[in-house]
Amino acid sequence: MRSISELPNVHANSMFSTLPETPLDEPFSVNGAYKQDCDPKKVNLGIGVYRTSDGSPWPLRVVEEAERKIYETNDVNRHEYTAISGDPGFLSLAADLVFGFGEEKGVPTSVTELERRRVVSIQTVSGTGANRLGAELLARNVRPGCVWIPDPTWANHYTIWDLAGVPKKRYPYYDATRKTFDFDGTFRTLSTSTNKNDVVILHACAHNPTGADPTKEQWKILAQLCEEKGIIPFFDLAYQGFASGDAKKDAWAIRHFFHNVHQVEFCVAQSFSKNFGLYGQRVGSLHMVLSSTATRDVPEKVLANLCHLVRGEYSMAPRGGAEIVKTVLGNEDLREKWLEDLTTMSERIQNMRHALFNELIRLGTPGDWTHVTNQIGMFTYVGLTESQVHAITERHHVYMLKSGRISISGMNENNVQYVAMAIDDVIRTVE
């Protein structure tokens, strides 16, 4: 009889040894490289988080006040399970924020309730979870022929729809020459190449990574196109209120689709990471907007299917961050303070845009830099090539994505001149 040591080693290789290689997540990879850099002048323009004028994280003042209120209330149920669908109070306030339910004076309550019935909401693990859950629901039940993703876009859109198993195609979103939204390319592609029940990803405001948004007139044309072609819009709403400081303005496109394109059913993935500074709390919601002619049983079916997916993935979304958002949005005084905090963040970002622009003009940096101030939100495609991005990191320890996307909030009064000088250097010396 052979000993165990003489038996064939059938487990010499792990069953995972043939797993495919996966790409690194670039923003987090760049952030990791920045943290390891010991140069005192280093600047992080890669990670998409808000920073104060001294480069520190900023727990919103209103969030800290809400946290104190929650702590002082000492609710014995604060660690209990929520429903699979999430906290009803949070979801109602989240939907109100997106769609403006109850905002317009003189609108009969009966009309508002009819509008509310068109929206099925479920709490998610931030905006990523909302995108993933919506993609899974559509993939399993609508079976779209493909999803049209803007080129460029938030990189996670590709991963999410890969996992959902829906074929992906790109539509040209950004005009690199004019450094603006490529409306002509978008309209031409979506009007000639899409089929009924194709999905199109739309950034509701502050497009990531370019900061270039459609105008209101362009949004109206896109809404009409979706109705005529039977396309399913999927809005990614990551920056409401953070982009312009005005939550109503930043939700304009979604509200236009809701009120003016009644036969188009669509999705809204809503995140509270940026506008509440709750990055690690993972607070979000998915809103499924139904046709105005949908029968009364449809919302129940949609919610039941969403809950079924959630139960099999993570049972329910986290409670703590949603409690903060609910506390703020549900209190008139705290809500006003939140709007003040939004103004603080959005104005600082706008000020940094103008400061960078002014420095580049002062240096006489080759090129037209008006896009820096024309674009909106946290990110801008500054216009550097991949070679120039590599050079600015190697020479000056300024970190950004290889596409040239920069996070404006990574700049402040102490480093904006240095960043402008670094950009000027690589523009002049590197192709």
Side-chain angles (χ1 to χ4, degrees):
M1 181 176 179
R2 289 185 294 175
S3 66
I4 291 177
S5 62
E6 295 176 309
L7 294 176
N9 188 355
V10 295
H11 297 296
N13 291 318
S14 168
M15 63 180 174
F16 301 114
S17 61
T18 58
L19 285 178
E21 296 290 332
T22 58
L24 292 173
D25 188 279
E26 190 184 6
F28 288 94
S29 178
V30 170
N31 193 48
Y34 166 82
K35 288 182 177 181
Q36 293 177 9
D37 191 334
C38 297
D39 191 279
K41 291 184 178 181
K42 67 179 182 178
V43 181
N44 189 358
L45 305 181
I47 196 71
V49 293
Y50 180 78
R51 291 291 182 256
T52 62
S53 57
D54 64 2
S56 301
W58 189 48
L60 271 62
R61 295 168 297 185
V62 71
V63 167
E64 292 183 322
E65 186 170 344
E67 287 175 323
R68 285 193 295 270
K69 284 181 177 291
I70 293 168
Y71 176 78
E72 291 166 0
T73 301
N74 195 27
D75 181 2
V76 296
N77 297 304
R78 64 189 180 277
H79 300 307
E80 291 292 290
Y81 291 127
T82 61
I84 296 173
S85 59
D87 183 324
F90 161 76
L91 288 170
S92 178
L93 290 164
D96 288 351
L97 186 65
V98 177
F99 300 100
F101 296 138
E103 281 187 2
E104 299 298 329
K105 295 181 180 179
V107 177
T109 303
S110 58
V111 173
T112 300
E113 288 308 309
L114 285 173
E115 290 179 338
R116 286 181 186 274
R117 288 177 199 159
R118 290 182 57 203
V119 180
V120 177
S121 302
I122 189 167
Q123 191 176 333
T124 61
V125 183
S126 201
T128 300
N131 273 277
R132 180 73 179 92
L133 183 61
E136 192 67 24
L137 182 76
L138 293 175
R140 287 171 176 266
N141 298 281
V142 179
R143 296 181 176 83
C146 73
V147 55
W148 291 88
I149 298 178
D151 183 17
T153 193
W154 178 51
N156 217 12
H157 283 144
Y158 293 102
T159 303
I160 286 166
W161 288 91
D162 258 340
L163 294 174
V166 177
K168 305 178 302 299
K169 294 183 181 180
R170 302 182 184 191
Y171 66 90
Y173 185 89
Y174 188 65
D175 185 330
T177 301
R178 295 185 297 142
K179 296 182 174 62
T180 59
F181 167 56
D182 185 0
F183 174 73
D184 291 339
T186 293
F187 182 82
R188 180 173 59 253
T189 300
L190 296 182
S191 62
T192 60
S193 303
T194 55
N195 297 306
K196 180 178 173 60
N197 287 344
D198 281 357
V199 177
V200 59
I201 303 298
L202 301 168
H203 295 235
C205 63
H207 178 267
N208 177 6
T210 69
D213 289 348
T215 65
K216 286 184 178 181
E217 290 306 312
Q218 289 169 342
W219 275 123
K220 290 177 182 178
I221 295 171
L222 292 175
Q224 185 178 357
L225 175 64
C226 288
E227 184 168 44
E228 291 174 354
K229 297 280 292 185
I231 307 169
I232 303 169
F234 198 124
F235 283 98
D236 195 341
L237 180 63
Y239 303 99
Q240 186 181 3
F242 184 94
S244 69
D246 184 337
K248 184 176 181 179
K249 179 179 179 180
D250 293 342
W252 188 90
I254 294 172
R255 295 184 186 188
H256 176 78
F257 274 67
F258 181 81
H259 290 293
N260 296 279
V261 196
H262 297 290
Q263 299 310 309
V264 172
E265 297 183 301
F266 62 94
C267 309
V268 179
Q270 181 184 25
S271 169
F272 292 93
S273 292
K274 305 301 192 294
N275 56 9
F276 272 79
L278 295 172
Y279 301 98
Q281 294 284 3
R282 316 311 295 148
V283 189
S285 55
L286 173 68
H287 307 284
M288 307 294 297
V289 179
L290 306 178
S291 166
S292 58
T293 58
T295 55
R296 295 182 68 90
D297 63 322
V298 173
E300 293 180 5
K301 289 181 179 178
V302 171
L303 184 59
N305 276 269
L306 288 171
C307 287
H308 177 66
L309 294 173
V310 165
R311 180 60 171 155
E313 288 285 344
Y314 50 86
S315 282
M316 62 198 64
R319 179 170 186 154
E323 190 72 24
I324 293 171
V325 173
K326 182 175 71 171
T327 299
V328 172
L329 295 182
N331 179 289
E332 186 174 347
D333 179 56
L334 291 181
R335 190 184 183 104
E336 286 300 314
K337 291 179 179 178
W338 174 61
L339 296 175
E340 292 173 5
D341 284 350
L342 287 177
T343 299
T344 296
M345 292 189 290
S346 61
E347 285 186 352
R348 199 189 90 73
I349 287 177
Q350 284 298 321
N351 289 340
M352 285 302 99
R353 285 183 176 276
H354 286 279
L356 177 62
F357 172 79
N358 290 337
E359 280 299 313
L360 292 170
I361 296 303
R362 185 183 67 82
L363 292 168
T365 307
D368 180 0
W369 298 99
T370 54
H371 64 284
V372 173
T373 53
N374 289 340
Q375 294 169 2
I376 189 171
M378 179 175 285
F379 301 117
T380 284
Y381 251 26
V382 72
L384 301 187
T385 66
E386 189 169 340
S387 298
Q388 290 167 339
V389 170
H390 178 75
I392 203 172
T393 301
E394 289 294 310
R395 295 180 187 178
H396 305 289
H397 304 271
V398 175
Y399 289 81
M400 63 183 69
L401 301 196
K402 62 184 179 182
S403 63
R405 187 203 83 173
I406 64 171
S407 177
I408 297 293
S409 68
M411 292 185 295
N412 54 55
E413 289 82 359
N414 297 320
N415 66 22
V416 66
Q417 288 184 335
Y418 179 73
V419 170
M421 178 276 296
I423 291 173
D424 182 80
D425 173 52
V426 298
I427 286 287
R428 293 180 187 275
T429 61
V430 181
E431 291 185 1

